[in-house]
Amino acid sequence: MSSTSLAQTYQRISSSKKFQERFSIAIRLVIAVFLIFFSIFPVLWILSAALDPRNSLTTQDLIPPNWSFDNFLRLFNKDPNFSFGDLKYWTWLWNSVKISTISTVLSLSLTTMAAYAFSRLRFAGRITLLKAILLIQVFPNLLALVAIYVLIFQAGQIVPAIGLNTHAGLILVYMGGSMGLNIWLMKGFLDTIPRAIDESGMIDGASNFQIFYQLLLPLLRPILIVIGILSFIGTYGDFILARILLNDSSQYTLMVGLQIFTAGQFDKKWGVFAAGALIGALPIMITYLALQDQIAGGLTQGAVKE
Amino acid sequence: MKQKTGNESPLGLLTRVLLVVVLDAAIGWFIYNSVQLGFTQLAAVLAVVLVMLNIIFLLPQAYAYRWMAIGLSFLIIFVIYPILFTVYVAFTNYGDGHLLTKEQALKSIQQATYLPEEGKSYSWTAYKSADNQYVLWLIDSNGDTFLAKVGEEIVPAKPGDPGIGEADSKGIPQTIEGFQRLNTLLAAADKELPNIKFGVEGGKTVQVRSPSEAAELQIRYLYDEATDTVTDQETGEIYYNIDGTFTSRTGKTINPGFRAVVGFKNFIQFATSPALRGPLVRIMTWNFVFPTISVLSTFFLGLAIAIMFNDPNFPLKKIIRSLLLIPYTIPSLITILIWRGMMNPEFGIINRTLERWIGVAPPWTTEPIWAQAAVLLVNLWLGYPYFMLVTSGALQSIPADLYEAATVDGAGAWVRFRKITLPLLLVAVGPLLIASFVFNFNNFNLIYLFINGGPPIVGAQTQAGHTDILISYVYNLAFASGGRGVQYGFASAISIIIFIIVGAITLAQFRFTNMWEEVSQNV
């Protein structure tokens, strides 16, 4: 075959639409592999660190020789060769789950009831208040840190059970955020539920609360799950408020505990940190991936990951 | 919709009134205690909440607000009040040396005593215990006798009382239980004895003045409410209240100081103090550079991915998307700490690999420019999945016939992207870009956890580093000053400045995007 005909053949193949498409997909797949490597490398690396019993940043390889679950056992802090003063991993995990669950349930109830009023009732100041809620969210509570600290300190002088270093005090502060963007999400969803449902209840003589509780609440399940999960993850991942309000190692949340644990001599705690990080992150990761479509829907309404 | 407040059942009415009574009692009790402890601002905000709750639950017109009464109370106490309190603190000197209220500080100042040259005096005898504790036996000019211990009230006592031995010829007990009597010579030579204050701090106290005499101490500082001055009884010097510290004309001060409103001092310090100016200019500049680059890099990477895989026929689309989403699904604190380990300049995998392959190990934590690059890289990793999610949603809403028409007109891929995709996309995700900018403007977690603001700026007065942003600087001022003392007032002033910057950006955004109009249409 002469060189001219080879070039012609090449031209014919490459100009065919099918080839172009395949070529483009192949290139994009290669790019995808690179991107995925960038995206999951830290996760693989932490998995490998967790399984490497040598527990050291310095010597770690991607495939650990003699892999074992030693680091996970060390989280119990009972291994005399790897004893870490204030490591109370399971207490921290429990604290986090407890605080996040209570906050989520309480704030969901406050949010849902408020959203019902905004969606179904007409009253003076309704629109102003809705706008105000949107505007207040602009100021992150991070900026009022000193004030929140003083507030909880003073509250604790009066009722020690809601003061500094208590979970109740922290939960109260989280509650302050329940009149937030989630009201807009919930109200938007409520607006899509036909009024005819309310009216049928009214004809039967049901009160507003009965309509809300017995007729509307069951229909709100999908959005309740999405907002609930987002709010649980948000509280679970919160660091700074818990960091300044809690100061006793048995009161820490997981995020505070892990941060304080890793301060100083990180390289000698690396494997144990990795094991703790995995246990703390995996349930959240799986939930997110399983519900990514619903959550993405909620996000485009304007929330930014905190 | 018709509101059914008129036909409330008697039971409902009873419950409602009972609820109001319980709430009033609980909050009233809280207010009472706040006032007792001097927490005036807290009492005021609780009073506001109390009035609001009463109106909401008692007035039929406020019916709708009953549905959100508790949420509103929390909003006022835990969101709005802290913002207002921050504004207030920004105008005070609240911080180390000024932590107390004026009443508390005066109480502490008025406990100071001095030993007057003249005054009521006693003759004394000292007793010493095995562990170097002292007691005094005092006889006043009338012949009455007293026993004085440190930290206990001075009480009249007689020889022969429980624990006190029999008197000698001068009427002084031979022994006191647990203590050894010192003879006159030993007592006179004792170096510690003249420094000990017997009796209770703030009450009647007695101190040894000379070998023959002990005298009652007198209050050193007298406060005059009318002139708001303190007079030193010992020297006669007058101290004036200057910004929360009693200061004399010669510049001497009395500790402790107290909280006082100092006007714009903190803001002036922010703008003019030469010791602060150097670090602050750097921090401010970086505080704008960091979110700008972060938003642009995460947006364009997210958008590029979204465009690349927007094709419905693309193989493995779902799984690729899930894998690329992973950075978003892990609590950011955990991933930031992982990156901190991976980017450790000596031991981290990144530098070990780079060293092996190209022989370079960038000083990620010690060189300012590398530290900033590291922060931006980690934030790119953390942030692109968010924009991947929102832009792929927005891309699907762009009508396909626009592209077809453009192709017919001979527009290439780049022109189509620039003239169709980008403008339409920006309308949809513009507000999210601003929100992301504002979020990163205050991205405390990343800066603090990844690198703690480091490397430090040499010569900075308060802890400040090359990757510090305002909010992490504020945190150091308020909570982690490393022995230099907390400065709540100054920290709050910077918070207010951040408030203003963030608020201005957001308002501008509302105006540009006509968000209010959209909002009004939706409600």
Side-chain angles (χ1 to χ4, degrees):
Chain A
M1 216 182 268
S2 72
S3 63
T4 16
S5 72
L6 225 168
Q8 277 169 349
T9 322
Y10 174 78
Q11 195 123 40
R12 213 173 51 232
I13 296 173
S14 65
S15 62
S16 82
K17 211 176 170 191
K18 207 167 181 187
F19 175 84
Q20 257 187 4
E21 210 163 80
R22 283 203 181 150
F23 184 69
S24 133
I25 285 180
I27 293 229
R28 282 186 281 171
L29 276 177
V30 172
I31 297 176
V33 169
F34 273 107
L35 286 171
I36 289 170
F37 178 75
F38 177 60
S39 120
I40 67 168
F41 182 77
V43 181
L44 296 179
W45 190 244
I46 203 76
L47 183 66
S48 130
L51 294 173
D52 189 335
R54 289 170 299 175
N55 181 35
S56 163
L57 189 58
T58 326
T59 53
Q60 193 202 341
D61 299 308
L62 191 52
I63 312 290
N66 310 318
W67 67 274
S68 77
F69 290 108
D70 287 0
N71 286 326
F72 292 91
L73 297 175
R74 284 171 194 149
L75 285 175
F76 286 99
N77 208 8
K78 293 205 171 115
D79 184 340
N81 298 321
F82 290 88
S83 118
F84 306 97
D86 254 355
L87 175 66
K88 297 176 182 164
Y89 183 80
W90 303 103
T91 313
W92 300 338
L93 187 62
W94 166 243
N95 288 346
S96 273
V97 170
K98 185 181 84 180
I99 293 173
S100 311
T101 309
I102 297 176
S103 303
T104 302
V105 170
L106 291 179
S107 98
L108 260 189
S109 13
L110 296 181
T111 305
T112 315
M113 289 186 58
Y116 168 82
F118 281 121
S119 169
R120 290 303 200 256
L121 307 175
R122 290 292 171 267
F123 53 93
R126 175 172 160 272
I127 290 176
T128 319
L129 194 57
L130 269 175
K131 284 184 180 176
I133 286 170
L134 206 57
L135 204 61
I136 289 169
Q137 303 307 311
V138 171
F139 303 113
N141 56 16
L142 199 61
L143 287 178
L145 223 48
V146 173
I148 291 174
Y149 179 83
V150 173
L151 172 61
I152 293 298
F153 165 77
Q154 294 185 342
Q157 299 290 301
I158 299 167
V159 181
I162 56 168
L164 292 178
N165 206 23
T166 65
H167 293 159
L170 184 61
I171 291 173
L172 281 176
V173 176
Y174 288 145
M175 281 307 91
S178 62
M179 292 288 281
L181 224 49
N182 288 341
I183 285 189
W184 279 83
L185 286 178
M186 186 70 79
K187 175 189 161 293
F189 195 89
L190 266 167
D191 286 343
T192 65
I193 298 177
R195 296 275 171 117
I197 291 179
D198 304 43
E199 276 149 23
S200 72
M202 235 171 250
I203 291 166
D204 292 345
S207 70
N208 278 336
F209 189 76
Q210 282 167 327
I211 293 172
F212 165 74
Y213 192 75
Q214 291 171 352
L215 295 179
L216 295 178
L217 208 53
L219 298 174
L220 288 176
R221 255 178 71 132
I223 191 80
L224 281 173
I225 290 172
V226 169
I227 296 183
I229 286 171
L230 281 176
S231 134
F232 183 93
I233 293 174
T235 316
Y236 183 87
D238 174 68
F239 165 65
I240 184 64
L241 276 174
R243 176 75 180 85
I244 61 156
L245 294 182
L246 307 174
N247 48 38
D248 186 78
S249 67
S250 54
Q251 292 290 89
Y252 290 162
T253 62
L254 182 58
M255 297 302 137
V256 176
L258 280 180
Q259 189 263 331
I260 289 173
F261 176 65
T262 56
Q265 297 236 300
F266 197 9
D267 52 306
K268 298 216 171 64
K269 303 165 173 173
W270 177 243
V272 180
F273 160 76
L278 269 187
I279 297 179
L282 271 182
I284 306 281
M285 205 170 113
I286 293 166
T287 316
Y288 241 115
L289 290 178
L291 295 171
Q292 52 178 298
D293 293 329
Q294 289 91 317
I295 290 173
L299 281 176
T300 30
Q301 311 272 342
V304 175
K305 188 192 183 189
E306 294 261 335
Chain B
M1 178 173 295
K2 221 180 82 193
Q3 290 175 14
K4 329 187 77 193
T5 44
N7 50 9
E8 192 182 23
S9 67
L11 186 67
L13 183 69
L14 187 70
T15 328
R16 188 151 59 86
V17 173
L18 262 178
L19 180 74
V20 174
V21 170
V22 170
L23 280 175
D24 283 357
I27 301 176
W29 178 82
F30 224 97
I31 294 177
Y32 172 78
N33 280 288
S34 307
V35 173
Q36 290 294 305
L37 288 164
F39 306 150
T40 351
Q41 295 99 336
L42 182 61
V45 72
L46 289 174
V48 169
V49 169
L50 185 70
V51 171
M52 181 192 81
L53 287 176
N54 276 289
I55 292 175
I56 288 180
F57 281 107
L58 295 178
L59 279 189
Q61 296 93 310
Y63 169 76
Y65 286 94
R66 287 178 205 164
W67 287 84
M68 57 188 88
I70 300 172
L72 280 178
S73 309
F74 280 127
L75 182 75
I76 292 174
I77 298 173
F78 293 104
V79 179
I80 297 177
Y81 167 61
I83 293 176
L84 297 179
F85 191 80
T86 304
V87 175
Y88 161 74
V89 171
F91 290 94
T92 69
N93 58 4
Y94 195 18
D96 261 11
H98 299 274
L99 287 169
L100 303 175
T101 64
K102 191 172 178 183
E103 291 76 37
Q104 288 168 326
L106 277 173
K107 212 169 163 189
S108 155
I109 287 172
Q110 284 167 345
Q111 278 188 5
T113 50
Y114 74 107
L115 192 59
E117 302 282 325
E118 293 153 30
K120 186 172 182 187
S121 67
Y122 305 86
S123 69
W124 58 273
T125 311
Y127 301 76
K128 189 176 177 183
S129 74
D131 55 340
N132 291 327
Q133 300 294 312
Y134 295 84
V135 294
L136 284 189
W137 182 262
L138 302 169
I139 307 173
D140 72 5
S141 49
N142 302 330
D144 292 332
T145 53
F146 303 88
L147 184 66
K149 292 184 178 175
V150 177
E152 286 179 33
E153 298 275 358
I154 296 171
V155 287
K158 291 263 176 293
D161 283 357
I164 300 174
E166 289 306 316
D168 67 1
S169 55
K170 290 174 191 160
I172 300 165
Q174 310 273 18
T175 55
I176 288 177
E177 201 176 304
F179 294 86
Q180 192 81 45
R181 182 169 163 181
L182 301 177
N183 66 39
T184 323
L185 261 176
L186 265 180
D190 197 303
K191 290 238 161 42
E192 260 193 66
L193 203 47
N195 300 322
I196 300 173
K197 289 175 185 169
F198 293 91
V200 189
E201 198 83 19
K204 183 172 155 184
T205 44
V206 163
Q207 197 171 353
V208 169
R209 183 157 65 193
S210 74
S212 60
E213 219 181 8
E216 208 167 290
L217 292 170
Q218 289 183 3
I219 306 263
R220 175 157 180 193
Y221 298 110
L222 275 187
Y223 177 63
D224 181 2
E225 213 170 337
T227 54
D228 197 16
T229 56
V230 163
T231 312
D232 186 338
Q233 298 297 305
E234 193 175 11
T235 61
E237 222 167 342
I238 297 174
Y239 291 77
Y240 302 89
N241 174 6
I242 297 174
D243 287 347
T245 311
F246 283 110
T247 314
S248 75
R249 291 228 186 276
T250 55
K252 279 196 284 183
T253 58
I254 305 175
N255 280 327
F258 50 91
R259 254 176 280 169
V261 174
V262 295
F264 282 91
K265 238 181 172 178
N266 291 319
F267 294 91
I268 293 167
Q269 193 191 358
F270 178 84
T272 60
S273 162
L276 290 170
R277 204 183 299 143
L280 266 178
V281 169
R282 274 167 200 262
I283 291 171
M284 286 285 270
T285 316
W286 172 240
N287 206 158
F288 280 95
V289 171
F290 164 68
T292 308
I293 300 185
S294 284
V295 170
L296 290 179
S297 62
T298 52
F299 172 69
F300 279 108
L301 181 58
L303 176 61
I305 295 174
I307 290 178
M308 253 190 292
F309 306 115
N310 191 27
D311 184 345
N313 303 321
F314 199 83
L316 305 173
K317 195 178 156 183
K318 177 93 185 173
I319 196 154
I320 291 176
R321 197 176 91 141
S322 294
L323 287 172
L324 290 178
L325 195 64
I326 280 181
Y328 191 69
T329 61
I330 306 173
S332 67
L333 176 132
I334 288 178
T335 46
I336 292 167
L337 291 177
I338 296 174
W339 276 96
R340 205 181 96 199
M342 294 203 312
M343 291 185 101
N344 183 308
E346 282 174 78
F347 314 123
I349 176 64
I350 294 188
N351 273 12
R352 278 195 280 143
T353 312
L354 288 178
E355 184 114 56
R356 196 176 313 147
W357 288 356
I358 54 171
V360 185
W364 298 115
T365 53
T366 47
E367 279 295 320
I369 191 78
W370 285 105
Q372 293 174 342
V375 168
L376 287 168
L377 179 70
V378 175
N379 211 22
L380 174 62
W381 186 86
L382 285 168
Y384 82 85
Y386 171 70
F387 280 111
M388 179 182 89
L389 273 183
V390 296
T391 52
S392 58
L395 278 179
Q396 273 148 24
S397 66
I398 299 178
D401 49 348
L402 277 180
Y403 291 110
E404 279 158 26
T407 317
V408 169
D409 288 348
W414 173 245
V415 174
R416 274 177 293 170
F417 172 75
R418 239 180 28 136
K419 300 278 182 188
I420 302 174
T421 315
L422 206 53
L424 285 176
L425 207 61
L426 284 180
V427 172
V429 301
L432 301 181
L433 288 171
I434 304 283
S436 166
F437 182 91
V438 168
F439 171 73
N440 280 308
F441 193 87
N442 289 315
N443 196 340
F444 172 82
N445 276 12
L446 175 64
I447 303 293
Y448 177 74
L449 297 171
F450 181 66
I451 199 164
N452 195 10
I457 296 175
V458 179
Q461 196 186 29
T462 339
Q463 186 187 334
H466 286 276
T467 53
D468 257 324
I469 52 179
L470 284 171
I471 188 74
S472 59
Y473 183 65
V474 165
Y475 179 84
N476 286 335
L477 281 175
F479 291 104
S481 49
R484 289 184 184 91
V486 294
Q487 302 179 49
Y488 293 137
F490 187 55
S492 299
I494 301 183
S495 292
I496 302 296
I497 291 166
I498 304 178
F499 271 162
I500 293 170
I501 296 174
V502 170
I505 294 172
T506 312
L507 276 179
Q509 175 221 336
F510 281 167
R511 192 149 295 170
F512 272 125
T513 58
N514 295 326
M515 197 160 158
W516 280 144
E517 280 79 273
E518 281 171 40
V519 163
S520 308
Q521 277 160 21
N522 285 334
V523 292

